[in-house]
Amino acid sequence: MKNLSLINKIIFIINSAFAVLLLLSYTIPYIKPTYLPLISVLSLLVPILLIINNLFLIYWLVQFKKQFLLSLFCLVFGINYASSFYKFKSKATSSNLHTSVMSYNVRLFNLYQWIKDKNIGTKLDEFIKNEKPDILCLQEYYSDSSVEHFYPYKYLYFKDSTRKNGQAIFSKYKIINKGSLNFEKTSNNAIFVDIIKNIDTVRVYNIHLESQHLNPKKDSLTKANSERLLKSIAKTFSRQQTQIELVKQHLDENNYKTIICVDLNNTAFSWAYRVLKSDFKDAYVEAGEGFGTTFNYNYIPLRIDFILADPRFEVLNFKKFNVKYSDHFPIKATLGF
């Protein structure tokens, strides 16, 4: 510090603060949200913390200052986080025995005109029809969609019988069993089906955890609004913990090969992700490329939608589609049997 200018001393102090926050964020996946709910909110900021520490690293390297070691240490220490944040090169392989799986939060096919385009519903239908994955999991599904005519087998579940929105699983393969986990006091839910693929029985989960209700236009960073937002997110994470514990119990009772499609409403740096993923393969980490952003929120690269594959599957390919028909982007994985 003695050989630094006043400005560089101030910058290094700021650098140190962000380095500490990044190190602290590494502990979040191991802390239940109900124990430290406000600390768990930090998981949403990990992408920003990684970017900022990389910028500090570059700043000190350009000046040939040894202060670069601070951010370098923090980034290397959390090297496993990097693969959940950015992938430099995708893996693309092929197999004669494979199946394609898509997960997509379609936001009720734009029923309430969040996007000022009256043709969004039609565009969504056409997109799904053109891609037509073997297995399709839709969150925030609305049942007037023509998607229902694209598949021979389906499971639609609406928690409120007076409304036509909920979760949906569509399949080219025969469904022999289905069910719902029925999260309490929320419109969010988890459903599952058992399908027959060749001689295998495969279980597919479609999970939509408690929503954050984030709005890029309304969630300005004023002091009052930030405090409200933090408390709201912390409460949501606590609810997610209960939901994940219910899902995990159901998973532990299942012996079939399993595929999980989930709108986690949380990041890969959270307790919810670590517990749900367990020894499953994250399709993006296995075969993705780039940031993998799945939620369109103020240019922050948030990856909150996941396809998790049983370790007995091989992830052959992964793709995120940059279509703006919802506040989420669809993701698709090709799995080898």
Side-chain angles (χ1 to χ4, degrees):
M1 289 281 281
K2 290 182 180 180
N3 296 324
L4 295 179
S5 65
L6 178 60
I7 292 177
N8 273 346
K9 285 180 180 178
I10 294 172
I11 291 175
F12 186 67
I13 291 171
I14 297 172
N15 185 175
S16 300
F18 279 104
V20 169
L21 285 174
L22 183 58
L23 288 174
L24 181 61
S25 74
Y26 295 156
T27 68
I28 292 172
Y30 304 94
I31 301 173
K32 286 188 175 183
T34 49
Y35 293 164
L36 294 169
L38 287 177
I39 293 295
S40 65
V41 175
L42 196 59
S43 65
L44 293 178
L45 301 178
V46 172
I48 298 175
L49 294 175
L50 288 168
I51 291 172
I52 290 174
N53 275 276
N54 271 287
L55 291 175
F56 278 124
L57 174 63
I58 295 170
Y59 176 82
W60 296 119
L61 282 173
V62 168
Q63 298 191 62
F64 299 103
K65 300 290 187 182
K66 64 181 180 180
Q67 279 70 24
F68 82 89
L69 292 170
L70 175 61
S71 287
L72 179 63
F73 168 77
C74 294
L75 292 167
V76 171
F77 187 76
I79 192 66
N80 290 334
Y81 268 33
S83 63
S84 293
F85 176 61
Y86 187 88
K87 294 289 292 182
F88 285 98
K89 188 177 181 180
S90 65
K91 176 187 72 172
T93 56
S94 61
S95 170
N96 292 328
L97 295 174
H98 67 265
T99 191
S100 58
V101 183
M102 178 177 284
S103 182
Y104 195 2
N105 183 321
V106 292
R107 196 164 60 163
L108 304 180
F109 287 86
N110 202 39
L111 178 64
Y112 297 107
Q113 295 292 302
W114 293 286
I115 300 173
K116 302 304 178 182
D117 182 344
K118 294 181 180 179
N119 296 317
I120 287 294
T122 301
K123 290 178 179 178
L124 266 165
D125 282 343
E126 286 301 313
F127 168 75
I128 292 171
K129 184 178 181 180
N130 289 335
E131 289 297 325
K132 202 172 184 183
D134 299 324
I135 300 168
L136 172 66
C137 292
L138 299 180
Q139 302 89 36
E140 294 190 42
Y141 178 75
Y142 186 70
S143 70
D144 278 351
S145 165
S146 63
V147 174
E148 295 180 26
H149 305 298
F150 302 160
Y151 289 86
Y153 306 102
K154 63 185 180 234
Y155 176 40
L156 312 180
Y157 187 85
F158 311 129
K159 293 184 73 175
D160 185 343
S161 60
T162 64
R163 302 171 68 183
K164 295 188 290 184
N165 60 282
Q167 306 278 96
I169 301 176
F170 299 92
S171 174
K172 292 181 181 180
Y173 313 117
K174 185 177 181 180
I175 294 174
I176 60 170
N177 184 35
K178 57 190 177 182
S180 169
L181 272 63
N182 293 329
F183 295 160
E184 294 184 355
K185 300 178 181 179
T186 180
S187 59
N188 297 75
N189 196 20
I191 62 174
F192 68 92
V193 298
D194 295 334
I195 63 173
I196 298 294
K197 164 70 173 175
N198 298 328
I199 60 172
D200 281 329
T201 299
V202 179
R203 174 158 292 183
V204 180
Y205 286 89
N206 183 9
I207 304 169
H208 186 200
L209 286 196
E210 192 72 18
S211 301
Q212 302 289 349
H213 303 293
L214 297 176
N215 188 320
K217 296 181 180 179
K218 295 181 180 179
D219 297 334
S220 57
L221 293 177
T222 62
K223 181 179 179 181
N225 200 44
S226 295
E227 290 177 356
R228 176 197 63 78
L229 194 60
L230 282 173
K231 291 179 181 178
S232 175
I233 293 174
K235 183 178 180 181
T236 297
F237 284 175
S238 295
R239 287 187 175 183
Q240 287 181 358
Q241 177 185 321
T242 301
Q243 294 165 1
I244 283 292
E245 288 170 342
L246 179 62
V247 171
K248 192 66 170 65
Q249 180 181 351
H250 201 269
L251 278 167
D252 290 342
E253 296 170 355
N254 163 49
N255 293 319
Y256 296 133
K257 292 179 182 177
T258 301
I259 301 168
I260 301 173
C261 292
V262 54
D263 172 2
L264 197 68
N265 273 309
N266 214 324
T267 69
F269 316 110
S270 64
W271 178 90
Y273 172 84
R274 183 184 67 82
V275 173
L276 181 62
K277 180 183 177 296
S278 186
D279 60 348
F280 280 71
K281 295 178 179 179
D282 183 329
Y284 163 79
V285 173
E286 295 289 321
E289 189 171 9
F291 282 110
T293 304
T294 66
F295 184 66
N296 190 14
Y297 186 77
N298 286 342
Y299 306 104
I300 300 174
L302 289 176
R303 186 169 74 95
I304 65 174
D305 300 89
F306 305 87
I307 296 175
L308 306 177
D310 192 292
R312 289 170 285 184
F313 291 124
E314 181 183 4
V315 181
L316 304 174
N317 211 335
F318 179 88
K319 184 177 181 180
K320 183 203 75 175
F321 299 85
N322 292 313
V323 292
K324 297 183 178 179
Y325 303 148
S326 170
D327 52 348
H328 291 249
F329 298 111
I331 54 177
K332 182 179 178 183
T334 304
L335 307 178
F337 279 69

